Amino acid sequence: MGWRRWGGAGLGALALGGACGGAPSPPAAPLAAPAALVDVLGPSAHTGPAARQRVLIGPGVPGPGEAGPVAPGAALVLSAGDAPWETTLAAPARSRCTARVRVDTEGRDGLLLETGAGMVVTEERSGRVVATHAPAAGLRGTAGAVQQLSFETGARTRALRLRLDPGAGGGSGTARFSELWLACGGPWAAVRGGLGPEAPLIGRLAVGDDSRPALLAAGGSRWRVGVAPGPAGAELRTALGRDDRSAGPLCGRVELDGALLAETCVAAGADWAPLTVALPPGPPGWLELVVAAGRGPRVGGWADPRLVPATGPAGAGERPDILVVLVDTLRADAVGPDTPWLSSLMASSTVFRNARSPSPWTLPSAASLLTGLWPGQHGAGWRLRREWSSGRRNTAQKRLLDHAGLQPGVATVAAGLRATGHQTAAFVSNHYLSPAFGLAAGFDRFVHYDGNSPAGLGAVLPALDRFLAAAPRSDGPRFVLVQAFEPHLPYRVRPPEPPPAALVGAMEQEEGGAWLVRDHLPATTADPAALRAAYQSEVRWLDAQLPALVSRLPGAVVAITADHGEAFGEHGSFGHGQDLSEELLRVPLVLHLPGAAPAVVDTPVGLVDLAQTLRALGGAPPVGPGRDLRGPLVPADQQLGFVHRGPDRVGLVRGAAKLVRSLPAGGLDPVVGAALDRWEGTGPDGAPLPAGAARGPLAAALDGVLGASLPGHHLRCGPGTAATLTSPTALLRQVVLVQGPATDVGLPPGQRSLALRVGPEDPPLWVVVEAAGGATPTLSPPGACTLHAVGVGAAGALTPDQQAALAAIGYLAP
C-alpha cells in the first residue's frame, strides 16, 4: 500500500504522559539504538481498547433456554439416565471462544459406563450444525475436574448450543456441573493468544503463513516508548501486519513527539507491509506506533520493531551466515549414488558417519535440534494422556492424538543467536514444527510453506528470497533453518521417471503426472524393494533442489541433517515413529565450514551436538549436554525416546551398546507387567555385542533418565511395604517400571486409588501414576513410600484442521 496522510486530528492529538496542549515531557530512560522493542517493552507501554471478551454465560448455570448469568455457586445435578441439559446462545462469527465447566461425579464409573460426564459445544447456523467441539473423553469418577474447550467460530456460525451430559451407559451415580463459563471475544482476543484480560500484548502474529514476533495492536491503540536518536539520528525498522479476521484495512502510523513520520495501510489479504522510518537527530523523545480506529474490529501488529543506528548496524563482521537444512525422514544410508550434489558437498565438509536422532519422529527430534536438550529435558513429544475405559465394552487402547510442546522457559538456539545480533528465520513444512509447539521462539520470521506438494523444497525459495532481501548481511549475520518435507510420505515419483512396476496398481497419479504412494498399506508394503525405490526417487528430487537453496547464502556455514529415518520392513514395520531401531535413528550429518579441511568422524554424535555447535558458531553461550562438533569429541551417552505410536519407549546409547526399555502400554489395565528391556549391541566387525558387564551400568543410567523425564508422580516402595495411594481425581495412567513376582499393585473399581503390597524378598516397587488435572495423590500411611512429581509442558487437543493435516502426511488415519 502507498503512503498517505490522514485528514483531521485523528489520534495524533493524544500525548500520553505529557501536559495537555503542551510539549510532552522527555522520557526518563530513553532507548538508544540498537534495540529490539519486543524484548524490552511491556504492557505499560501500551494504551488503547481493553478488548475484553463478551461473556455469554457467567459463573453458575442458567436454566434451560436462559442465556444470562445467574448467582455464583449455582449448580446443575444430573443423574444416570437423565437427558442432557442444553441451551442455545447467539454467538459471533469468526471469533475466539472458550467454554469451561467444573465437573464432580459420584458413582459414574464402572464396567458398563460407555461415556463419561462432559460438555459439548456445537456451532449452528439456522439450526444446522456447522462444527462440534468436545473433549477427547468424558470424565468418570472425578472430584472437581475442569473441562475446557477453546475454539474459533466459523464464518457461518450464528449460534452456539451448549450441552452438559451426565454420561451414557448402565449403572448409577450423579454428575454435578458448576462454574460454567462461556465467553467469546472478537478477533483481538484471538490475536492476543489468550482468553482473559491477562492475555499478553506481545507475542507472535501470523499474516498468512509468515509468523513474526510483534507488538500486537487493536484499532485505536498505540505503543509508546522513549528513544534517543542521538546526533546522527536513528532508524525504526518494522512491518505492519493485519490479522485476517479484521474488518476492513488496517492503518498505522509512526510519530515522534506527536509529529507524523510515516503511515501506511494494509488491506485484506495483503502481506506484511515493511516500514523503515528515519528518526531525525535530536534529543530524546517519545516514539509512538499508532493503529487507527475504524468501523468494525481492526486487529494487527508491528512486526519485531527495532531501532538501528542511522549509519546502519556495525555489520556481520567475521561471523558467518548459518544455514541448517533439516530433511524430513532421510535415513543415513539413503545418501550415496542418488545424491550426487550432497555427496560433492560432503567431499569438502566434515561428515559424521555415526549420527543419530534422539527420536523416531519429528516433534521431539526437531525440538532437540532447536534447543540442544534431550527429549526428556525439553518435554516436546510426550503424548497428553486422556482417560480410557478398561471395562469389558472397551478393552482396546485408544490411540492418543495429542502431544505436548516445549516446556515453558526452555531456551532455543534461535533465541540465543538472536540475542547475539543474528537475523533469524525458519521455513518449515511439517505440522509439528508449528509455533503451537513453541518451536518458533527466537525466530524473526517463521514461515510455514507447503512442502507436501509437487514443488517440494522449491516452494520455499520465494519466501526465503523475501527474507534475505529484507535482512542484508550489513544488518548482522543470518541464521536460517529450512525444513525440507521430502522424502516424507507421500512418496512422489515425478516425470519423466516411471513408477516402480510392482507399485503401479497401488499408486495414485496427481495433476502434473507425479505418481504417489500415500500410505504404508499392504498393497504398497508387499514389495519393500519397490517401496524403497519410490522413496529413493524422492531423495533424488531433494538432492536436485539443494543447490538452489544453498546458493542463496554464499559463504555460509551449512549443516544438513534429518529428524529421523524410515523403515522398510527391517524389523517387520514400515514408516517411522513406532520404534527406536537404528534405521529410524541413524541420520546423515554434514557440516560444511568454508575454508576448513574436510574430515570424516566416526565418534557417535547427535542433534544436540549440532545445536551446541550452532550456538558456538554464533557466539551464544552453551546450553544443554551437547558438544561442539568442531573440537575434540569426548564419547558421551545418547538419550533416546518418545515413540509416536504404540507403547512409550526410552533408550540409552553408550559406545556400541544400546539399551531400550519398553514401558507398559496397559494404562489402567489392572494386569500390567514390569517394563521390558531390549539390548542391542554391535562390535567393530558387525557381530552382535554380548551384554556382559555393560548391561547393569547402562540399565542404572537409563533408570536415571526415566526418573527425571517420565511425566507423572513417581512412587517407590521398599520390600515389605503395604500402603494405599489415593488421588483426588481419576487416575489416568499407571506405569509399573519395577515389580517383583510377589508384589501386587491393585486397582480398585473407583479408579482413584492403588493398593500396594511389596513382597518382603522383592526388589523395590517403582510405579508412575498420572491423575486427571495433574492432581497430587496422597499415601496412607504417610511416608510409607517416596513420592515425587515429574512434569512436562502441555498442549491443547488437536483441531479438526490439524488432524486433517496430519492425515495428509500419514501420521493419522483419514
Side-chain angles (χ1 to χ4, degrees), residues 254-291:
V254 179
E255 301 175 358
L256 183 64
D257 283 339
L260 179 64
L261 300 181
E263 55 188 0
T264 191
C265 291
V266 184
D271 202 350
W272 289 98
L275 287 172
T276 298
V277 182
L279 306 184
W286 290 105
L287 177 69
E288 293 182 284
L289 306 178
V290 184
V291 171

mmCIF file of all heavy atoms in Angstrom, residues 254-291:
data_model
loop_
_atom_site.group_PDB
_atom_site.id
_atom_site.type_symbol
_atom_site.label_atom_id
_atom_site.label_comp_id
_atom_site.label_asym_id
_atom_site.label_seq_id
_atom_site.Cartn_x
_atom_site.Cartn_y
_atom_site.Cartn_z
ATOM 1 N N VAL A 254 3.595 6.177 12.439
ATOM 2 C CA VAL A 254 4.706 6.330 13.368
ATOM 3 C C VAL A 254 4.867 7.816 13.656
ATOM 4 O O VAL A 254 4.936 8.637 12.725
ATOM 5 C CB VAL A 254 6.009 5.757 12.775
ATOM 6 C CG1 VAL A 254 7.162 5.948 13.744
ATOM 7 C CG2 VAL A 254 5.836 4.282 12.423
ATOM 8 N N GLU A 255 4.931 8.152 14.950
ATOM 9 C CA GLU A 255 5.065 9.555 15.357
ATOM 10 C C GLU A 255 6.259 9.694 16.287
ATOM 11 O O GLU A 255 6.619 8.760 17.019
ATOM 12 C CB GLU A 255 3.809 10.029 16.103
ATOM 13 C CG GLU A 255 2.529 9.936 15.306
ATOM 14 C CD GLU A 255 1.318 10.305 16.148
ATOM 15 O OE1 GLU A 255 1.505 10.598 17.355
ATOM 16 O OE2 GLU A 255 0.196 10.295 15.614
ATOM 17 N N LEU A 256 6.865 10.867 16.280
ATOM 18 C CA LEU A 256 7.911 11.222 17.231
ATOM 19 C C LEU A 256 7.517 12.544 17.867
ATOM 20 O O LEU A 256 7.424 13.570 17.176
ATOM 21 C CB LEU A 256 9.275 11.336 16.541
ATOM 22 C CG LEU A 256 10.458 11.633 17.476
ATOM 23 C CD1 LEU A 256 10.674 10.469 18.451
ATOM 24 C CD2 LEU A 256 11.740 11.876 16.672
ATOM 25 N N ASP A 257 7.219 12.508 19.177
ATOM 26 C CA ASP A 257 6.744 13.682 19.910
ATOM 27 C C ASP A 257 5.541 14.321 19.215
ATOM 28 O O ASP A 257 5.431 15.549 19.089
ATOM 29 C CB ASP A 257 7.866 14.711 20.078
ATOM 30 C CG ASP A 257 8.847 14.315 21.165
ATOM 31 O OD1 ASP A 257 8.472 13.501 22.037
ATOM 32 O OD2 ASP A 257 9.996 14.796 21.137
ATOM 33 N N GLY A 258 4.621 13.484 18.714
ATOM 34 C CA GLY A 258 3.399 13.961 18.095
ATOM 35 C C GLY A 258 3.523 14.314 16.634
ATOM 36 O O GLY A 258 2.513 14.554 15.976
ATOM 37 N N ALA A 259 4.745 14.359 16.095
ATOM 38 C CA ALA A 259 4.930 14.686 14.679
ATOM 39 C C ALA A 259 4.879 13.413 13.850
ATOM 40 O O ALA A 259 5.531 12.418 14.178
ATOM 41 C CB ALA A 259 6.266 15.396 14.470
ATOM 42 N N LEU A 260 4.105 13.468 12.782
ATOM 43 C CA LEU A 260 3.951 12.297 11.923
ATOM 44 C C LEU A 260 5.216 12.059 11.113
ATOM 45 O O LEU A 260 5.698 12.956 10.407
ATOM 46 C CB LEU A 260 2.766 12.504 10.988
ATOM 47 C CG LEU A 260 2.480 11.366 10.000
ATOM 48 C CD1 LEU A 260 2.084 10.100 10.740
ATOM 49 C CD2 LEU A 260 1.388 11.788 9.012
ATOM 50 N N LEU A 261 5.752 10.822 11.194
ATOM 51 C CA LEU A 261 6.925 10.458 10.409
ATOM 52 C C LEU A 261 6.573 9.565 9.222
ATOM 53 O O LEU A 261 7.189 9.681 8.162
ATOM 54 C CB LEU A 261 7.951 9.742 11.294
ATOM 55 C CG LEU A 261 8.510 10.520 12.491
ATOM 56 C CD1 LEU A 261 9.537 9.668 13.235
ATOM 57 C CD2 LEU A 261 9.132 11.823 12.036
ATOM 58 N N ALA A 262 5.649 8.648 9.404
ATOM 59 C CA ALA A 262 5.285 7.733 8.317
ATOM 60 C C ALA A 262 3.940 7.115 8.627
ATOM 61 O O ALA A 262 3.511 7.047 9.781
ATOM 62 C CB ALA A 262 6.341 6.650 8.143
ATOM 63 N N GLU A 263 3.261 6.641 7.580
ATOM 64 C CA GLU A 263 1.985 5.980 7.750
ATOM 65 C C GLU A 263 1.750 5.059 6.557
ATOM 66 O O GLU A 263 2.280 5.275 5.465
ATOM 67 C CB GLU A 263 0.838 6.997 7.859
ATOM 68 C CG GLU A 263 0.773 7.967 6.700
ATOM 69 C CD GLU A 263 -0.238 9.077 6.919
ATOM 70 O OE1 GLU A 263 -0.895 9.100 7.976
ATOM 71 O OE2 GLU A 263 -0.388 9.905 6.017
ATOM 72 N N THR A 264 0.968 4.028 6.779
ATOM 73 C CA THR A 264 0.640 3.085 5.715
ATOM 74 C C THR A 264 -0.607 2.320 6.109
ATOM 75 O O THR A 264 -1.023 2.344 7.278
ATOM 76 C CB THR A 264 1.805 2.107 5.460
ATOM 77 O OG1 THR A 264 1.561 1.372 4.264
ATOM 78 C CG2 THR A 264 1.971 1.129 6.610
ATOM 79 N N CYS A 265 -1.202 1.638 5.141
ATOM 80 C CA CYS A 265 -2.379 0.805 5.366
ATOM 81 C C CYS A 265 -2.142 -0.574 4.779
ATOM 82 O O CYS A 265 -1.410 -0.727 3.802
ATOM 83 C CB CYS A 265 -3.626 1.422 4.733
ATOM 84 S SG CYS A 265 -4.192 2.948 5.542
ATOM 85 N N VAL A 266 -2.785 -1.568 5.387
ATOM 86 C CA VAL A 266 -2.698 -2.948 4.911
ATOM 87 C C VAL A 266 -4.106 -3.424 4.628
ATOM 88 O O VAL A 266 -4.970 -3.400 5.507
ATOM 89 C CB VAL A 266 -2.023 -3.855 5.959
ATOM 90 C CG1 VAL A 266 -1.861 -5.265 5.400
ATOM 91 C CG2 VAL A 266 -0.670 -3.293 6.368
ATOM 92 N N ALA A 267 -4.341 -3.873 3.406
ATOM 93 C CA ALA A 267 -5.670 -4.328 3.000
ATOM 94 C C ALA A 267 -5.841 -5.804 3.307
ATOM 95 O O ALA A 267 -4.882 -6.519 3.650
ATOM 96 C CB ALA A 267 -5.873 -4.063 1.515
ATOM 97 N N ALA A 268 -7.067 -6.278 3.180
ATOM 98 C CA ALA A 268 -7.356 -7.695 3.398
ATOM 99 C C ALA A 268 -6.553 -8.540 2.421
ATOM 100 O O ALA A 268 -6.455 -8.218 1.231
ATOM 101 C CB ALA A 268 -8.847 -7.953 3.218
ATOM 102 N N GLY A 269 -5.960 -9.593 2.929
ATOM 103 C CA GLY A 269 -5.191 -10.497 2.096
ATOM 104 C C GLY A 269 -3.786 -10.050 1.788
ATOM 105 O O GLY A 269 -3.032 -10.771 1.122
ATOM 106 N N ALA A 270 -3.395 -8.847 2.247
ATOM 107 C CA ALA A 270 -2.060 -8.335 1.938
ATOM 108 C C ALA A 270 -1.025 -8.952 2.862
ATOM 109 O O ALA A 270 -1.321 -9.405 3.966
ATOM 110 C CB ALA A 270 -2.038 -6.819 2.067
ATOM 111 N N ASP A 271 0.230 -8.974 2.398
ATOM 112 C CA ASP A 271 1.343 -9.464 3.183
ATOM 113 C C ASP A 271 1.761 -8.381 4.176
ATOM 114 O O ASP A 271 1.188 -7.289 4.228
ATOM 115 C CB ASP A 271 2.500 -9.819 2.250
ATOM 116 C CG ASP A 271 3.479 -10.793 2.868
ATOM 117 O OD1 ASP A 271 3.366 -11.049 4.088
ATOM 118 O OD2 ASP A 271 4.355 -11.299 2.152
ATOM 119 N N TRP A 272 2.765 -8.703 5.001
ATOM 120 C CA TRP A 272 3.340 -7.685 5.873
ATOM 121 C C TRP A 272 3.780 -6.473 5.043
ATOM 122 O O TRP A 272 4.363 -6.623 3.967
ATOM 123 C CB TRP A 272 4.563 -8.241 6.599
ATOM 124 C CG TRP A 272 4.258 -9.255 7.648
ATOM 125 C CD1 TRP A 272 4.325 -10.612 7.513
ATOM 126 C CD2 TRP A 272 3.880 -9.008 9.005
ATOM 127 N NE1 TRP A 272 3.993 -11.233 8.690
ATOM 128 C CE2 TRP A 272 3.727 -10.268 9.630
ATOM 129 C CE3 TRP A 272 3.655 -7.867 9.746
ATOM 130 C CZ2 TRP A 272 3.363 -10.407 10.969
ATOM 131 C CZ3 TRP A 272 3.289 -7.992 11.073
ATOM 132 C CH2 TRP A 272 3.143 -9.244 11.673
ATOM 133 N N ALA A 273 3.511 -5.278 5.553
ATOM 134 C CA ALA A 273 3.924 -4.042 4.879
ATOM 135 C C ALA A 273 5.174 -3.501 5.568
ATOM 136 O O ALA A 273 5.104 -2.996 6.695
ATOM 137 C CB ALA A 273 2.807 -2.995 4.939
ATOM 138 N N PRO A 274 6.361 -3.625 4.947
ATOM 139 C CA PRO A 274 7.594 -3.195 5.615
ATOM 140 C C PRO A 274 7.651 -1.680 5.776
ATOM 141 O O PRO A 274 7.164 -0.917 4.939
ATOM 142 C CB PRO A 274 8.696 -3.707 4.677
ATOM 143 C CG PRO A 274 8.030 -3.834 3.340
ATOM 144 C CD PRO A 274 6.613 -4.180 3.610
ATOM 145 N N LEU A 275 8.250 -1.248 6.866
ATOM 146 C CA LEU A 275 8.425 0.175 7.165
ATOM 147 C C LEU A 275 9.853 0.415 7.641
ATOM 148 O O LEU A 275 10.323 -0.260 8.553
ATOM 149 C CB LEU A 275 7.464 0.640 8.263
ATOM 150 C CG LEU A 275 5.979 0.793 7.933
ATOM 151 C CD1 LEU A 275 5.203 1.070 9.202
ATOM 152 C CD2 LEU A 275 5.791 1.915 6.937
ATOM 153 N N THR A 276 10.522 1.361 7.037
ATOM 154 C CA THR A 276 11.798 1.861 7.532
ATOM 155 C C THR A 276 11.632 3.360 7.712
ATOM 156 O O THR A 276 11.401 4.091 6.736
ATOM 157 C CB THR A 276 12.950 1.563 6.560
ATOM 158 O OG1 THR A 276 13.086 0.139 6.412
ATOM 159 C CG2 THR A 276 14.264 2.121 7.083
ATOM 160 N N VAL A 277 11.711 3.818 8.951
ATOM 161 C CA VAL A 277 11.382 5.198 9.288
ATOM 162 C C VAL A 277 12.617 5.871 9.867
ATOM 163 O O VAL A 277 13.213 5.378 10.842
ATOM 164 C CB VAL A 277 10.224 5.253 10.302
ATOM 165 C CG1 VAL A 277 9.850 6.693 10.613
ATOM 166 C CG2 VAL A 277 9.015 4.487 9.767
ATOM 167 N N ALA A 278 13.006 6.992 9.290
ATOM 168 C CA ALA A 278 14.153 7.744 9.784
ATOM 169 C C ALA A 278 13.743 8.595 10.975
ATOM 170 O O ALA A 278 12.765 9.352 10.913
ATOM 171 C CB ALA A 278 14.714 8.626 8.674
ATOM 172 N N LEU A 279 14.479 8.466 12.090
ATOM 173 C CA LEU A 279 14.272 9.322 13.262
ATOM 174 C C LEU A 279 15.323 10.423 13.199
ATOM 175 O O LEU A 279 16.525 10.141 13.232
ATOM 176 C CB LEU A 279 14.426 8.513 14.551
ATOM 177 C CG LEU A 279 13.563 7.254 14.678
ATOM 178 C CD1 LEU A 279 13.752 6.627 16.054
ATOM 179 C CD2 LEU A 279 12.100 7.561 14.420
ATOM 180 N N PRO A 280 14.907 11.670 13.080
ATOM 181 C CA PRO A 280 15.879 12.752 12.880
ATOM 182 C C PRO A 280 16.771 12.946 14.103
ATOM 183 O O PRO A 280 16.396 12.592 15.224
ATOM 184 C CB PRO A 280 14.981 13.976 12.649
ATOM 185 C CG PRO A 280 13.690 13.638 13.317
ATOM 186 C CD PRO A 280 13.524 12.157 13.152
ATOM 187 N N PRO A 281 17.982 13.485 13.892
ATOM 188 C CA PRO A 281 18.858 13.774 15.040
ATOM 189 C C PRO A 281 18.168 14.710 16.013
ATOM 190 O O PRO A 281 17.364 15.562 15.633
ATOM 191 C CB PRO A 281 20.077 14.439 14.388
ATOM 192 C CG PRO A 281 20.022 14.039 12.943
ATOM 193 C CD PRO A 281 18.573 13.897 12.612
ATOM 194 N N GLY A 282 18.500 14.533 17.279
ATOM 195 C CA GLY A 282 17.910 15.410 18.261
ATOM 196 C C GLY A 282 17.925 14.803 19.641
ATOM 197 O O GLY A 282 18.451 13.702 19.862
ATOM 198 N N PRO A 283 17.307 15.488 20.595
ATOM 199 C CA PRO A 283 17.268 14.990 21.978
ATOM 200 C C PRO A 283 16.297 13.833 22.117
ATOM 201 O O PRO A 283 15.544 13.524 21.200
ATOM 202 C CB PRO A 283 16.782 16.213 22.757
ATOM 203 C CG PRO A 283 15.945 16.967 21.769
ATOM 204 C CD PRO A 283 16.620 16.779 20.442
ATOM 205 N N PRO A 284 16.282 13.187 23.278
ATOM 206 C CA PRO A 284 15.327 12.098 23.495
ATOM 207 C C PRO A 284 13.885 12.568 23.322
ATOM 208 O O PRO A 284 13.538 13.715 23.618
ATOM 209 C CB PRO A 284 15.607 11.676 24.942
ATOM 210 C CG PRO A 284 17.022 12.080 25.188
ATOM 211 C CD PRO A 284 17.216 13.355 24.413
ATOM 212 N N GLY A 285 13.051 11.657 22.810
ATOM 213 C CA GLY A 285 11.647 11.979 22.606
ATOM 214 C C GLY A 285 10.799 10.714 22.699
ATOM 215 O O GLY A 285 11.293 9.618 22.960
ATOM 216 N N TRP A 286 9.499 10.925 22.460
ATOM 217 C CA TRP A 286 8.550 9.824 22.569
ATOM 218 C C TRP A 286 8.230 9.285 21.176
ATOM 219 O O TRP A 286 7.698 10.006 20.337
ATOM 220 C CB TRP A 286 7.260 10.280 23.251
ATOM 221 C CG TRP A 286 7.438 10.582 24.705
ATOM 222 C CD1 TRP A 286 7.494 11.816 25.295
ATOM 223 C CD2 TRP A 286 7.575 9.627 25.758
ATOM 224 N NE1 TRP A 286 7.664 11.708 26.642
ATOM 225 C CE2 TRP A 286 7.722 10.372 26.968
ATOM 226 C CE3 TRP A 286 7.599 8.251 25.812
ATOM 227 C CZ2 TRP A 286 7.880 9.759 28.204
ATOM 228 C CZ3 TRP A 286 7.764 7.640 27.047
ATOM 229 C CH2 TRP A 286 7.890 8.385 28.223
ATOM 230 N N LEU A 287 8.556 8.016 20.957
ATOM 231 C CA LEU A 287 8.218 7.336 19.715
ATOM 232 C C LEU A 287 6.912 6.582 19.934
ATOM 233 O O LEU A 287 6.772 5.849 20.923
ATOM 234 C CB LEU A 287 9.329 6.358 19.322
ATOM 235 C CG LEU A 287 9.077 5.509 18.068
ATOM 236 C CD1 LEU A 287 9.110 6.391 16.820
ATOM 237 C CD2 LEU A 287 10.106 4.395 17.966
ATOM 238 N N GLU A 288 5.942 6.745 19.009
ATOM 239 C CA GLU A 288 4.652 6.101 19.158
ATOM 240 C C GLU A 288 4.276 5.372 17.871
ATOM 241 O O GLU A 288 4.441 5.907 16.761
ATOM 242 C CB GLU A 288 3.575 7.126 19.511
ATOM 243 C CG GLU A 288 3.775 7.730 20.900
ATOM 244 C CD GLU A 288 2.677 8.704 21.266
ATOM 245 O OE1 GLU A 288 2.697 9.825 20.744
ATOM 246 O OE2 GLU A 288 1.797 8.310 22.052
ATOM 247 N N LEU A 289 3.795 4.132 18.045
ATOM 248 C CA LEU A 289 3.288 3.313 16.943
ATOM 249 C C LEU A 289 1.781 3.218 17.123
ATOM 250 O O LEU A 289 1.296 2.640 18.107
ATOM 251 C CB LEU A 289 3.923 1.926 16.966
ATOM 252 C CG LEU A 289 5.452 1.883 16.988
ATOM 253 C CD1 LEU A 289 5.946 0.451 17.056
ATOM 254 C CD2 LEU A 289 6.028 2.590 15.778
ATOM 255 N N VAL A 290 1.033 3.801 16.200
ATOM 256 C CA VAL A 290 -0.401 4.012 16.360
ATOM 257 C C VAL A 290 -1.163 3.205 15.315
ATOM 258 O O VAL A 290 -0.757 3.151 14.148
ATOM 259 C CB VAL A 290 -0.756 5.514 16.208
ATOM 260 C CG1 VAL A 290 -2.237 5.747 16.473
ATOM 261 C CG2 VAL A 290 0.110 6.365 17.121
ATOM 262 N N VAL A 291 -2.249 2.581 15.731
ATOM 263 C CA VAL A 291 -3.172 1.927 14.804
ATOM 264 C C VAL A 291 -4.486 2.683 14.856
ATOM 265 O O VAL A 291 -5.037 2.916 15.938
ATOM 266 C CB VAL A 291 -3.372 0.439 15.164
ATOM 267 C CG1 VAL A 291 -4.502 -0.162 14.340
ATOM 268 C CG2 VAL A 291 -2.086 -0.334 14.916
#
